Amino acid sequence: MIFPSRDFKVLSGFSSDLEARGVLCSPEPGTPQGRAMLTFMASDSEEEVCDERTSLMSAESPPPRCCQEARQGLEDGENAAQWRSQDSEEDLDDADRYVCSGVPGQPLGLEEELTLKYGAKHVIMLFVPVTLCMIVVVATIKSVRFYTEKNGQLPYGAGREQSLQPAISLSIYTPFTEDTPSVGQRLLNSVLNTLIMISVIVAMTIFLVVLYKYRCYKFIHGWLIMSSLMLLFLFTYIYLGEVLKTYNVAMDYPTLFLTVWNFGAVGMVCIHWKGPLVLQQAYLIMISALMALVFIKYLPEWSAWVILGAISVYDLVAVLCPKGPLRMLVETAQERNEPIFPALIYSSAMVWTVGMAKLDPSSQGALQLPYDPEMEEDSYDSFGEPSYPEVFEPPLPGSPEGELEEEEERGVKLGLGDFIFYSVLVGKAAATGSGDWNTTLACFVAILIGLCLTLLLLAVFKKALPALPISITFGLIFYFSTDNLVRPFMDTLASHQLYI
Amino acid sequence: MTAAVFFGCAFIAFGPALALYIFTIATEPLRVIFLIIGAFFWLVSLLFSSLFWFMARTITDNKDGPIQKYLLILGVLVSVLIQEMFRFMYYKLLKKASEGLKSINPDETAPSMRLLAYVSGLGFGIMSGVFAFVNTLSDSLGPGTVGIHGDSPQFFLNSAFMTLVIILLHVFWGIIFFDGCEKKKWSALLVVLLTHLLVSALTFISPHYGINLVSTYIIMVLMGIWAFFVAGGSCRSLKFCLLCQDKDFLLFNQRSR
């Protein structure tokens, strides 16, 4: 699921009255649900904002003045930041609320500049992690044989027991074998597998929504912690084992234990508590890649493709239909005015501390390392603060003086389910495309374009949107067409050394 | 074969493109997006060309013999046509997009059409080069002896240089093409199409690498010079640039003092 943590407007003529507020809901990787949703929802703190805003300028004020005031406001960089710090972490980017709201048809200058700049930058901020995740998955698939071997050909060695566990757990979800003689039977089996998988996912999501509705936060957090424990320790151990086997590197158990323990412990701390943003992002990318590798290995071939298709349809339905579970989740969170499940969402937001011109000229335009408490506040807001009330602490200890102001960069958040399924698609293209790199690259470009379009739609519609459908559709189309049409053509050209 | 050939050929083929990307495109998010969209357009054009070739092959029932070679040649020529068509469509899309951006925000400097021409050319070029060469590259990493059956042992080198020249040509073609569209000089479009056809046709004489490569490089240099002048360069500005006397360099020096 993809959503902005702030207003994410590209090419919007004038701000609507709805503020953007990021909200998340992403299934944890331990359960084989991975669907994505873009959420973008209206905030309730609009009323208070109105008062402040009207004190600055009225909605009917003529454009030049309001643009100028907006410019002022933005250069000082405060008022927005100031009461944003009092309010919830997910408070709106009021900076652009200042600008000429409700004056349609007038050139908006500064706001547009900012939103356009931010728009393209945030697209890239999502391209990079998605690309990195795909690179990790494709590199592993191409080099480590383990992930492309089918279950019946497990390699000898100690990895056998551990690697059987995910096999067993996943084969519960896909009980119908694909080793059938006829094509029709195989297709039927994969459709049945998909139905089972999707119904499991739907059931899990509804369970999650019910838990959330009845405020069983401890249970949810326990669940999330258990699944990230499994990913960070068990799957990392298996992965490391297979990589070492592939490259024939010996590692003794004490070193292995130390490595895996450190990796896992730091990962748990970064994801569920506080840590540098870059490290959190890196860990989230790694666990998405690990999960995607598990899916690639243990889902039967045709079932995987049908599941990918079905899950994008489900994502579309769950996020956009009024009765969809994800939409209900979002609305519940909105009513309670709190973020949902801060864990397992990738956030591209950055935090700057901007010094005010009057008081602190030395840090003007600072892009330096932000003041730690603020950064941690922001990062754990995004990522999984166990107890919700703490999320709303004012992040600035010195805010009464207004000396250092926090200006949170508008960011976009993408659910980890998205990463996982994008990587599954590209990984499968790499695994089954008969060693063909063209298919992999075509799927990669298709997914990036889909993501671009989705972000554009997000900016246009300003509401929760599913991130899977467009990208997965493009990816599937390009996979099948490149594998069957382009590959023979390019192979023939290459063998005759012709260039087009 | 093995790592030396792999890295050597990879850097020959993709080095300049990578450098161009890092120095001119990677810093600006909007340019990266336009690059990827350009790559996507090339990909779609390839899809249509493959579809055409596939259909032509099924119509002739996959008979072996000279007809396959003719079909391939036809496929290549049609593919070039489709690529240029998609370049035109990308131009139209960019035109609409930049008009949209300008109307919403006249102050903000949206990327100019010239810059977009360069970016789109690079996108086309990178995608084209990658699709042509990546499979060959990955094969070069493994063991083997090139030319053991009498083929040329310079297979990889030749492919690498050819890929490089195609990438650069796409950049120059992009610039010339978009400029021709902007100024409604349809002759420029025709020349781009014809040179593209010529370059592809030259590869038909593939065992004779010498003629093939040299003539393609000559065409590339000519296109480069044309693109340079089309993009607003002049002999004077080139002289200043080479003698480090251009405005940017001077201003930069003053600032650092």
Side-chain angles (χ1 to χ4, degrees):
Chain A
M1 131 175 64
I2 192 171
F3 56 92
S5 53
R6 287 287 177 264
D7 282 355
F8 180 72
K9 293 183 242 182
V10 170
L11 306 181
S12 61
F14 32 86
S15 50
S16 63
D17 285 327
L18 284 183
E19 320 253 330
R21 183 177 165 141
V23 152
L24 347 153
C25 175
S26 165
E28 58 290 355
T31 64
Q33 356 169 355
R35 65 260 171 296
M37 175 168 103
L38 273 156
T39 38
F40 191 107
M41 50 173 231
S43 146
D44 294 345
S45 43
E46 196 184 301
E47 289 68 43
E48 322 150 21
V49 169
C50 265
D51 298 334
E52 294 287 345
R53 205 161 23 99
T54 48
S55 71
L56 200 72
M57 67 163 205
S58 70
E60 306 308 304
S61 67
R65 209 195 73 185
C66 85
C67 282
Q68 204 150 29
E69 281 187 80
R71 240 173 265 266
Q72 285 275 319
L74 280 161
E75 259 133 41
D76 301 349
E78 14 329 297
N79 307 334
Q82 214 150 38
W83 22 266
R84 200 182 317 143
S85 64
Q86 314 312 339
D87 278 341
S88 71
E89 158 268 341
E90 292 279 310
D91 212 344
L92 344 147
D93 194 356
D94 307 298
D96 51 340
R97 297 284 324 266
Y98 280 107
V99 190
C100 315
S101 56
V103 189
Q106 305 281 347
L108 294 169
L110 189 62
E111 174 184 354
E112 288 317 313
E113 230 171 272
L114 291 171
T115 53
L116 189 58
K117 244 187 272 190
Y118 288 154
K121 192 164 16 158
H122 289 294
V123 172
I124 300 301
M125 292 210 290
L126 281 186
F127 273 9
V128 172
V130 170
T131 309
L132 281 174
C133 192
M134 288 191 212
I135 287 177
V136 171
V137 170
V138 169
T140 310
I141 295 273
K142 289 286 186 186
S143 53
V144 179
R145 288 275 157 265
F146 174 71
Y147 287 102
T148 43
E149 280 161 2
K150 285 302 131 196
N151 302 352
Q153 303 152 30
L154 280 177
Y156 52 86
R160 194 172 213 147
E161 296 73 38
Q162 289 93 333
S163 31
L164 274 176
Q165 280 167 355
I168 292 171
S169 66
L170 264 179
S171 56
I172 295 177
Y173 299 118
T174 53
F176 294 94
T177 175
E178 285 196 8
D179 271 332
T180 56
S182 74
V183 170
Q185 182 70 20
R186 189 171 183 187
L187 200 59
L188 181 68
N189 281 356
S190 34
V191 170
L192 290 171
N193 281 337
T194 308
L195 283 174
I196 295 177
M197 191 76 144
I198 299 288
S199 32
V200 166
I201 290 175
V202 172
M204 293 285 194
T205 317
I206 294 181
F207 183 48
L208 205 65
V209 173
V210 161
L211 282 179
Y212 188 68
K213 260 192 144 66
Y214 292 109
R215 299 176 187 265
C216 311
Y217 296 137
K218 295 270 182 238
F219 190 93
I220 293 174
H221 278 292
W223 188 4
L224 292 178
I225 288 182
M226 281 311 301
S227 52
S228 23
L229 263 177
M230 186 177 74
L231 267 178
L232 280 171
F233 288 100
L234 179 65
F235 287 161
T236 308
Y237 171 70
I238 296 175
Y239 180 78
L240 197 58
E242 293 307 323
V243 168
L244 289 175
K245 264 187 228 155
T246 306
Y247 291 105
N248 204 17
V249 174
M251 190 188 258
D252 50 311
Y253 274 114
T255 312
L256 183 69
F257 173 72
L258 210 59
T259 314
V260 172
W261 169 252
N262 276 310
F263 180 82
V266 175
M268 289 303 289
V269 165
C270 275
I271 294 174
H272 292 282
W273 195 49
K274 306 180 191 192
L277 186 66
V278 175
L279 206 55
Q280 278 166 332
Q281 293 173 336
Y283 269 105
L284 288 174
I285 293 174
M286 280 189 266
I287 64 179
S288 311
L290 283 172
M291 195 64 198
L293 285 168
V294 166
F295 275 135
I296 292 171
K297 179 167 174 64
Y298 291 112
L299 283 180
E301 258 201 54
W302 288 22
S303 308
W305 295 112
V306 185
I307 284 175
L308 275 173
I311 221 163
S312 7
V313 173
Y314 166 69
D315 197 24
L316 197 63
V317 163
V319 174
L320 296 179
C321 284
K323 285 296 173 197
L326 295 179
R327 186 165 170 154
M328 280 175 24
L329 193 66
V330 165
E331 282 164 5
T332 318
Q334 187 181 352
E335 282 162 31
R336 295 183 196 169
N337 216 11
E338 62 192 25
I340 319 172
F341 306 137
L344 303 173
I345 304 289
Y346 178 94
S347 164
S348 57
M350 303 173 309
V351 175
W352 299 359
T353 35
V354 177
M356 275 175 65
K358 326 176 187 50
L359 296 173
D360 195 3
S362 59
S363 58
Q364 187 63 23
L367 252 160
Q368 324 80 340
L369 268 194
Y371 199 173
D372 276 350
E374 283 133 21
M375 174 145 93
E376 284 151 18
E377 173 73 19
D378 184 63
S379 41
Y380 72 62
D381 286 346
S382 317
F383 286 116
E385 177 56 15
S387 50
Y388 288 101
E390 287 169 44
V391 165
F392 308 128
E393 281 174 279
L396 303 167
S399 61
E401 297 89 2
E403 193 168 320
L404 273 179
E405 304 266 327
E406 182 182 322
E407 168 103 21
E408 187 176 324
E409 165 85 2
R410 285 179 279 188
V412 185
K413 294 184 181 173
L414 184 63
L416 287 198
D418 292 320
F419 281 89
I420 292 174
F421 282 102
Y422 292 161
S423 308
V424 166
L425 196 145
V426 175
K428 282 217 89 67
T432 63
S434 53
D436 191 37
W437 283 92
N438 290 345
T439 319
T440 315
L441 285 163
C443 290
F444 168 69
V445 172
I447 288 182
L448 286 188
I449 294 290
L451 191 58
C452 214
L453 281 173
T454 313
L455 285 167
L456 196 65
L457 282 179
L458 177 67
V460 167
F461 286 112
K462 299 186 181 40
K463 56 189 280 256
L465 286 183
L468 279 183
I470 302 181
S471 288
I472 299 282
T473 313
F474 274 16
L476 288 174
I477 293 175
F478 274 87
Y479 172 74
F480 287 110
S481 51
T482 311
D483 204 32
N484 297 312
L485 295 176
V486 175
R487 193 168 46 92
F489 185 48
M490 291 307 286
D491 282 347
T492 321
L493 286 179
S495 64
H496 290 99
Q497 276 211 292
L498 301 178
Y499 282 80
I500 53 170
Chain B
M1 302 293 276
T2 74
V5 171
F6 173 77
F7 280 110
C9 290
F11 285 126
I12 289 175
F14 299 120
L18 192 66
L20 283 173
Y21 175 82
I22 290 177
F23 289 117
T24 58
I25 299 200
T27 45
E28 290 283 319
L30 209 53
R31 294 180 202 174
V32 177
I33 295 175
F34 283 124
L35 184 87
I36 295 188
I37 300 179
F40 180 70
F41 269 73
W42 188 88
L43 190 61
V44 176
S45 80
L46 180 65
L47 196 62
F48 281 111
S49 338
S50 317
L51 187 64
F52 170 84
W53 180 71
F54 187 78
M55 285 187 334
R57 246 187 10 162
T58 20
I59 289 175
T60 62
D61 285 328
N62 272 344
K63 283 195 283 278
D64 270 329
I67 192 153
Q68 292 299 324
K69 190 133 176 62
Y70 296 142
L71 269 183
L72 196 60
I73 292 176
L74 180 66
V76 167
L77 299 176
V78 167
S79 168
V80 169
L81 272 165
I82 296 180
Q83 281 180 52
E84 297 303 328
M85 244 170 45
F86 270 83
R87 208 196 290 275
F88 186 69
M89 279 165 49
Y90 192 36
Y91 165 75
K92 283 277 175 228
L93 179 73
L94 284 178
K95 194 95 183 122
K96 269 208 198 102
S98 54
E99 268 161 21
L101 289 175
K102 266 200 213 50
S103 69
I104 286 174
N105 188 2
D107 304 328
E108 166 76 7
T109 47
S112 69
M113 202 36 122
R114 265 188 209 155
L115 180 66
L116 291 178
Y118 162 70
V119 168
S120 81
L122 192 58
F124 268 58
I126 287 181
M127 204 60 181
S128 161
V130 160
F131 260 66
F133 197 45
V134 129
N135 278 331
T136 317
L137 258 189
S138 83
D139 283 338
S140 80
L141 201 52
T145 309
V146 191
I148 206 167
H149 289 295
D151 302 308
S152 161
Q154 317 303 337
F155 176 73
F156 288 116
L157 265 184
N158 173 65
S159 305
F161 278 107
M162 196 64 197
T163 310
L164 169 64
V165 83
I166 294 275
I167 295 178
L168 291 176
L169 271 172
H170 269 289
V171 174
F172 300 142
W173 282 331
I175 298 175
I176 299 170
F177 194 93
F178 276 41
D179 183 69
C181 289
E182 286 277 290
K183 301 202 173 107
K184 305 269 186 268
K185 272 193 334 194
W186 308 116
S187 58
L189 303 193
L190 200 60
V191 171
V192 166
L193 179 64
L194 287 175
T195 41
H196 196 166
L197 283 169
L198 180 64
V199 165
S200 285
L202 277 173
T203 61
F204 293 151
I205 56 171
S206 70
H208 306 287
Y209 295 150
I211 313 170
N212 186 5
L213 269 182
V214 168
S215 30
T216 315
Y217 270 88
I218 292 174
I219 296 179
M220 191 255 306
V221 168
L222 290 172
M223 290 284 127
I225 295 173
W226 187 2
F228 176 71
F229 285 111
V230 150
S234 63
C235 295
R236 214 166 130 261
S237 65
L238 184 64
K239 192 179 81 166
F240 283 151
C241 176
L242 290 173
L243 295 175
C244 298
Q245 281 172 2
D246 61 335
K247 225 169 21 146
D248 296 328
F249 183 79
L250 290 172
L251 282 173
F252 177 74
N253 269 353
Q254 277 171 1
R255 251 203 310 269
S256 57
R257 255 182 267 132

